[in-house]
Amino acid sequence: MCAAALAASIVLMLAVARGRTGVVGDAIALIGEARTGGLTLVMPEAVKDVRVREARVPGRPIVLIDPGHGGRDPGAPGVSGTSSEKDLTLAMGRELADLLEQRGRVRVALTRENDKYLTLEERAAIARHLRAGLFLSVHMDSAPNPQARGATIYSLSDVASSAEAARFAAAENGGDGALSSEADDSVRALLADVALREQMEESAGLAERMLKRAAGRVELRPSPHQFAAFHVLRRTETPAVLVEAGYISNADDEARLMTKEGRAPLVLALAQAVEADLAARANR
Ligand SMILES: [Zn+2]
């Protein structure tokens, strides 16, 4: 090899080495960017806004609190004409998240922290993305009968516990923000799945635990544990319940649910039940 060729090959090697370094550097940057990019593509927009509040001890499960409705979907109107379901669910959801954060035994996040519209699938996708250990959707009931009052807890089931529960689930599943029929079909195919059975059993156990904590402290409906086929609960792929905190079509319930003090007993009962449920599952 002549000197010129040697010099040329050294220059070439240097160029390749520099090139490689560049490639490696780029690849590292690309991997990081690709992950962020991948998440943005795969996850709905809603996921990016979710903030997880840490527990006092690392590695604790995430409780995902889902204030029902929001944005262009106000939910049920209050009987006084001054409240709407979406505002009350947000207030109560935040209070529950604050309390859980303050107690520090679990990590906690909210599907929405402001007056934002989210589809049911987006809410479920957030739960799946976070691998939430527990999903709790907060709602306020409404009925034509102004005397109807008290809290109800719905857990996931493929069989509704009553005609009313079936109608309620159909109303929640249908309409604006419903899951696509494609998602619906894949959900139906999962019905025989063992994991789904387990999800239903754990959801029912969670509902029972919540009612036990709430009994005597919070006004409950005569049959407070109801079962219904809520697509949003199923699609979270984790133990999930839907809490109807009371009837805002009833003047007493509405007045109670419109203040922080009025909501506090149920918020505390839910927080305690959530912690107990996750602790029990961790110890199994
Ligand atoms: Zn609702």
Side-chain angles (χ1 to χ4, degrees), residues 69 75 85 139-140 172 244:
H69 311 278
E85 186 183 357
H139 287 254
M140 311 283 158
E172 289 281 347
E244 293 280 359

Side-chain angles (χ1 to χ4, degrees), residues 65-225:
I65 299 163
D66 173 45
H69 311 278
R72 60 185 148 94
D73 169 19
V79 67
S80 68
T82 58
S83 73
S84 72
E85 186 183 357
K86 67 171 185 176
D87 297 329
L88 299 180
T89 60
L90 182 58
M92 194 173 144
R94 276 184 178 152
E95 285 155 13
L96 179 55
D98 289 347
L99 182 61
L100 285 168
E101 182 182 17
Q102 189 194 315
R103 291 163 66 94
R105 296 184 177 95
V106 294
R107 285 185 288 166
V108 62
L110 288 151
T111 54
R112 66 178 181 99
E113 302 211 33
N114 50 41
D115 185 20
K116 183 168 75 172
Y117 176 78
L118 289 171
T119 65
L120 298 179
E121 176 53 26
E122 281 172 323
R123 295 168 198 263
I126 294 170
R128 295 196 303 271
H129 172 65
L130 294 180
R131 296 185 200 285
L134 193 155
F135 180 87
L136 193 170
S137 194
V138 180
H139 287 254
M140 311 283 158
D141 237 328
S142 178
N145 173 9
Q147 303 306 315
R149 60 176 303 186
T152 315
I153 300 184
Y154 286 86
S155 69
L156 173 65
S157 169
D158 48 356
V159 183
S161 52
S162 67
E164 191 203 347
R167 264 196 305 276
F168 176 57
E172 289 281 347
N173 289 333
D176 212 16
L179 297 170
S180 70
S181 58
E182 195 186 326
D184 198 13
D185 285 345
S186 67
V187 161
R188 215 168 287 135
L190 278 170
L191 265 177
D193 199 298
V194 175
L196 186 61
R197 290 279 140 211
E198 195 178 281
Q199 190 194 358
M200 286 185 198
E201 277 168 30
E202 289 180 339
S203 301
L206 172 62
E208 286 299 331
R209 221 183 266 278
M210 286 172 167
L211 289 168
K212 221 176 271 172
R213 299 272 178 176
R217 295 198 246 171
V218 178
E219 169 112 26
L220 299 173
R221 235 179 59 168
S223 308
H225 185 183

